[in-house]
Amino acid sequence: MCRWLAYSGTPMLLDTILYKPAHSLIDQSLHSKLGVETTNGDGFGIGWYTDDNDTPALLRDVGPAWNNRNLREMADHVRSPLFFAHIRASTGTAVQQSNCHPFRHGRWMFMHNGAIAGFHLMRRDLTLLVDPALYADIEGTTDSEVMFYLALTFGLDQDPPAAVARMAGVVERAGREHGVEFPLQMTLAITDGGHVWAFRYSSQRASRSLFYSSRVDALRRLHPDVAFLRDLSEETRLIVSEPLGDLPGAWNEVPEGTYGVVRPGADEMHPFAPVPA
């Protein structure tokens, strides 16, 4: 499986989130505490937005994140109000750049931790459901990228939660048709550069870990001496596969079968279930 984080809020050097926390994503690439694997070294990816472009920039590589000099250099110089970061542990598909998350289409980014069980059995069925106008843009061989393109096919531009629910529904239907009892395991994040949607769901109702950060104003009241919190806007949020540190009150588990929306104003959290296909 994999580890990932999504950041939205005060524009910040990527280094501040990727490297500086005690249990940063770089530390998790070697010493994951809550993942299926301790080591996540089958590639990495960073995607970020700037004020100059509606589409995100991507940096992806097949090597481990912990010793990548280009990532270290970039993180010291790139500042963004919204970025995704992902470290990969392959579930069977090739270790190649086109299989590294995040995936991008237009202004959209998508990243995933989990798997479609028995994907090799249902790959053809699922890819044939992708809109022909989108199919040629699929570059890699992962189940995750197929999930993204199915969500795009089912109306990600109009209603992201509904599109993901339809995607999950067709995955579970295909799994049942191929005799897979629990086809889907996913924590995933999607953004259009303005909002971030995060989902935690599995067919077995035993999803991989996912956490979100507490409100900045509440953390300031709890920890008035923590300098890092003083410069953050009230809109700043992190969603992570596992907490980046042990600051009391900082992290909250996303409930099973739930999706949340990070956006200007009040964030939201709702129950999530696949739409039966």
Side-chain angles (χ1 to χ4, degrees):
M1 300 293 174
C2 311
R3 304 280 83 185
W4 59 257
L5 69 81
Y7 173 84
S8 176
T10 300
M12 185 172 294
L13 281 174
L14 273 61
D15 165 78
T16 307
I17 301 299
L18 291 180
Y19 285 90
K20 289 185 177 179
H23 191 46
S24 70
L25 202 66
I26 304 304
D27 181 68
Q28 291 176 35
S29 67
L30 280 167
H31 308 294
S32 173
K33 298 176 181 178
L34 300 178
V36 174
E37 299 88 4
T38 301
T39 303
N40 298 272
D42 294 329
F44 69 88
I46 311 294
W48 69 95
Y49 294 84
T50 68
D51 293 335
D52 302 322
N53 203 316
D54 289 336
T55 60
L58 288 184
L59 172 68
R60 300 188 294 178
D61 203 348
V62 297
W66 63 76
N67 67 355
N68 189 283
R69 296 180 66 185
N70 288 332
L71 177 61
R72 174 73 270 186
E73 178 74 11
M74 182 274 293
D76 281 335
H77 292 84
V78 170
R79 187 181 301 272
S80 175
L82 199 165
F83 59 88
F84 280 7
H86 186 281
I87 50 177
R88 184 171 183 243
S90 172
T91 55
T93 49
V95 178
Q96 61 192 44
Q97 192 175 95
S98 58
N99 283 345
C100 293
H101 310 220
F103 301 103
R104 174 183 63 191
H105 188 272
R107 72 180 190 275
W108 291 93
M109 279 200 301
F110 175 104
M111 60 184 175
H112 170 229
N113 174 38
I116 297 176
F119 180 60
H120 64 289
L121 300 174
M122 61 188 89
R123 181 199 304 266
R124 181 178 182 276
D125 294 350
L126 294 175
T127 54
L128 286 175
L129 295 174
V130 173
D131 185 333
L134 296 170
Y135 182 84
D137 294 330
I138 298 176
E139 296 182 336
T141 60
T142 63
D143 51 358
S144 302
E145 192 175 16
V146 171
M147 290 166 64
F148 180 32
Y149 276 84
L150 285 170
L152 287 164
T153 297
F154 296 144
L156 193 63
D157 272 322
Q158 289 76 44
D159 188 338
V164 172
R166 287 190 63 193
M167 175 274 289
V170 300
V171 169
E172 292 199 323
R173 181 192 68 190
R176 289 192 299 270
E177 290 173 351
H178 288 275
V180 179
E181 185 178 5
F182 302 117
L184 184 57
Q185 173 70 243
M186 70 176 201
T187 64
L188 59 86
I190 302 171
T191 183
D192 60 0
H195 295 49
V196 178
W197 292 265
F199 299 79
R200 185 178 185 224
Y201 174 80
S202 66
S203 305
Q204 198 172 6
R205 309 300 190 268
S207 299
R208 303 294 180 241
S209 58
L210 192 64
F211 298 83
Y212 65 95
S213 61
S214 297
R215 290 177 54 90
V216 172
D217 56 351
L219 288 174
R220 287 197 192 110
R221 290 193 295 271
L222 283 172
H223 305 285
D225 298 328
V226 176
F228 172 75
L229 298 172
R230 295 172 192 163
D231 297 327
L232 297 181
S233 72
E234 303 298 330
E235 304 289 346
T236 297
R237 294 288 185 276
L238 271 163
I239 307 170
V240 297
S241 292
E242 56 188 79
L244 305 184
D246 56 3
L247 188 68
W251 302 104
N252 313 275
E253 187 172 16
V254 175
E256 175 70 38
T258 298
Y259 79 89
V261 188
V262 175
R263 63 181 185 178
D267 299 336
E268 297 179 2
M269 192 170 289
H270 302 279
F272 175 81
V275 172

